[in-house]
Amino acid sequence: MAQTLKKHCQTCATETEHWVDTQICCECAARDGAERLAATKAAKKARKKAKRRKKVKKTWEKKRPELRKKREKTQKEKAQIEAYRREAARRHLLPFIRRYEPNYLAGWVHKVIAQELEVFLEDVVAQKSPRLMIAMPPRHGKSMETSQYFPAWALGKYPFLEFINCSYAQSLQMDFSRKIQELVKEED
């Protein structure tokens, strides 16, 4: 074990034990060593991360140069994508919902409901007098899909249709009606 002496420390300005060959105390030396070790480890980790990132970028550029081109879309391509999205929203209910609710995550049940509502609408237009019942627990999105977005989408597709919007509470029905009116009035 190294020999120590009691001396005045230049770092913490106290009278503490020093190793014979140093000007700072044992505690300051240990703290300094720990800080240097942590800094060395962090620098090594950063170098590895940068090297890995550079390697991945090179690999990505070599293997898939067409992806870089896809990321840089021209105005014409953006217009084509927008036209496609509009047409999809015009034809199908789920893209219509996603157009106005970008964060909407449709589960399998929402996809089934949307498909059934589309079939239901076509049967109504064909005057087949269809019936559709949707039974789900509360807070699963059926009201939003069936009472807000479906009527707005259907009215956009077939403006001659009429809807009766009813609910157990007048305030809920009024909220649904306002949402439908906002969607129908929107020029997009």
Side-chain angles (χ1 to χ4, degrees):
M1 187 159 186
Q3 292 183 345
T4 59
L5 318 166
K6 266 215 189 262
K7 288 202 294 192
H8 184 75
C9 178
Q10 293 176 350
T11 305
C12 61
T14 58
E15 193 72 28
T16 54
E17 297 219 355
H18 286 64
W19 282 299
V20 176
D21 57 342
T22 63
Q23 297 296 318
I24 58 173
C25 67
C26 298
E27 290 176 20
C28 291
R31 194 176 328 111
D32 184 49
E35 288 172 0
R36 285 184 186 186
L37 181 63
T40 303
K41 285 182 179 180
K44 188 175 180 181
K45 191 175 181 180
R47 281 194 305 273
K48 274 187 177 180
K49 194 174 183 179
K51 190 176 180 182
R52 205 176 315 125
R53 205 178 295 135
K54 192 174 181 181
K55 186 177 180 182
V56 167
K57 188 175 180 182
K58 279 185 179 178
T59 306
W60 179 78
E61 288 173 353
K62 284 179 187 176
K63 289 184 179 178
R64 310 202 67 194
E66 70 276 0
L67 288 180
R68 179 185 285 170
K69 291 177 185 175
K70 284 184 182 178
R71 294 180 80 207
E72 301 165 2
K73 294 180 179 133
T74 63
Q75 287 296 97
K76 185 178 178 181
E77 290 171 330
K78 288 178 183 177
Q80 287 174 339
I81 291 169
E82 179 62 24
Y84 168 77
R85 287 183 180 155
R86 285 184 181 194
E87 186 60 31
R90 206 172 289 125
R91 290 183 185 192
H92 301 286
L93 180 59
L94 236 84
F96 177 80
I97 294 171
R98 285 194 190 112
R99 185 160 184 80
Y100 293 100
E101 296 283 339
N103 296 330
Y104 181 71
L105 297 174
W108 67 269
V109 72
H110 301 106
K111 293 174 185 173
V112 170
I113 290 172
Q115 289 170 349
E116 291 297 321
L117 286 169
E118 288 174 13
V119 170
F120 177 77
L121 178 64
E122 294 308 319
D123 288 347
V124 167
V125 171
Q127 297 180 344
K128 293 182 181 177
S129 218
R131 303 289 182 258
L132 178 65
M133 288 181 62
I134 299 173
M136 285 174 55
R139 310 289 304 161
H140 279 74
K142 64 185 175 294
S143 293
M144 185 184 82
E145 193 167 356
T146 60
S147 299
Q148 292 177 8
Y149 286 99
F150 174 69
W153 175 72
L155 286 170
K157 200 168 182 178
Y158 301 106
F160 59 86
L161 291 176
E162 295 177 355
F163 280 86
I164 297 173
N165 193 354
C166 57
S167 175
Y168 69 90
Q170 185 179 1
S171 62
L172 188 61
Q173 180 271 328
M174 292 300 289
D175 289 344
F176 291 164
S177 280
R178 263 188 242 103
K179 181 69 173 181
I180 294 167
Q181 288 172 7
E182 287 173 11
L183 290 170
V184 170
K185 285 180 184 176
E186 215 169 285
E187 290 187 24
D188 195 24

